């Protein structure tokens, strides 16, 4: 077991899906996997491994924000030899044409986090998605006639910002959406030679102030899960 994950070596598959919410991980395991084993309950951050067809795959919650996600991603790649990590989560739209329920595939992610400046001695690192995963997810989304957008997003350390207009500058530079994890996921995957992609559903819009209904939230997660499962290497 690692410091924060109670699994034995070999209990976690080389490919893992990473929802923020651990109960989503359980939903995913119950609905999409067979031969499921729960490998983690430490801090309630549920993790499961099972099969999808002939492929072994794991799913585990990350919690919200870059610090918690980073703890889990570090341990998954360093101690459990995970090589493909796909975040499945939600985001807030920063562009007027984005509708609640649309899919976003981030090519890259800007941030207000200082963690990469700290890592790179004050300079800026541009974290990027794995291109094959991105292309595969884009094609899988189009095959399912989902509305999908590809571009830059913004990973924030804050959900509640003092300035209600903070997002407008980022929107003016074409940033599609905001969430709180992708910069850290892409950076850590690059550091460890792993492959990473975020697959996001728009759950709210900072432009229109609309929010997803319970029904859209319900539909969004299985679609992201299906897309992720279709591109497991
Ligand atoms: N801000 C930050 N993270 C988010 C949002 C948001 O509006 N929506 C979903 N994740």
């Amino acid at each position: 077991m690692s410091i924060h994950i109670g699994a034995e070596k070999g209990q976690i598959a080389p490919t893992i899906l990473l929802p923020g919410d651990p109960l989503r991980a359980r939903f995913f395991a119950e609905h999409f996997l067979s031969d499921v084993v729960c490998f983690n309950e430490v801090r309630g951050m549920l993790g499961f491994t099972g099969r999808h067809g002939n492929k072994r795959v794991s799913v585990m919650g990350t919690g919200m924000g870059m610090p918690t996600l980073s703890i889990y991603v570090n341990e998954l790649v360093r101690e459990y030899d995970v090589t493909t990590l796909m975040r499945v989560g939600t985001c807030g739209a920063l562009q007027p044409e984005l509708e609640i329920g649309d899919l976003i595939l981030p090519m890259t992610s800007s941030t207000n986090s200082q963690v990469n400046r700290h890592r790179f001695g004050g300079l800026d690192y541009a974290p990027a998605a794995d291109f094959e995963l991105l292309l595969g997810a884009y094609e899988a989304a189009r095959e399912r006639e989902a509305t999908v957008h590809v571009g830059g997003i913004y990973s924030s350390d804050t959900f509640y910002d003092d300035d209600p207009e903070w997002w407008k500058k980022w929107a003016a530079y074409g940033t599609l959406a905001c969430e709180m994890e992708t910069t850290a996921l892409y950076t850590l995957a690059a550091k460890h030679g792993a492959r990473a992609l975020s697959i996001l559903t728009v759950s709210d819009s900072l432009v229109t102030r609309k929010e997803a209904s319970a029904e859209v939230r319900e539909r969004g997660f299985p679609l992201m899960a299906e897309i992720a499962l279709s591109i497991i290497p």
Side-chain angles (χ1 to χ4, degrees), residues 15-19 28 57-60 86 88 224-225 228-229 232:
T15 296
I16 194 162
L17 270 64
L18 300 170
F28 176 85
V57 59
S58 294
V59 58
M60 181 179 167
M86 290 188 261
V88 283
M224 292 188 287
L229 285 169
I232 295 175

Side-chain angles (χ1 to χ4, degrees), residues 90-92 158-159 178-180 203-204 206:
T90 56
C91 61
T158 55
F159 186 87
C178 63
E179 45 84 275
M180 301 182 70
S203 63
D204 57 282
L206 283 83

Side-chain angles (χ1 to χ4, degrees), residues 92-99 167 170-177 205 207-208:
L94 304 185
Q95 300 294 336
E97 70 276 16
L98 301 186
E99 300 282 351
W167 57 274
W170 295 94
Y173 281 70
T175 308
L176 295 176
S205 170
V207 186
T208 64

Side-chain angles (χ1 to χ4, degrees), residues 14 34 36 46 54-55 66 92 105 112-113 133 144 146 153-154 184 187 194 198-199 212 217 220:
S34 57
V36 172
L46 302 173
N54 59 1
K55 290 181 175 160
M66 291 181 264
L105 300 173
N112 60 355
S113 164
L133 292 178
R144 287 163 179 78
I153 65 156
Y154 176 83
T187 301
S198 286
I199 303 172
R217 282 178 185 271

Side-chain angles (χ1 to χ4, degrees), residues 160-181:
Y160 298 106
D161 202 285
D162 281 355
D163 175 8
E165 312 267 283
W166 69 267
W167 57 274
K168 291 194 171 166
K169 181 64 147 267
W170 295 94
Y173 281 70
T175 308
L176 295 176
C178 63
E179 45 84 275
M180 301 182 70
E181 292 83 14

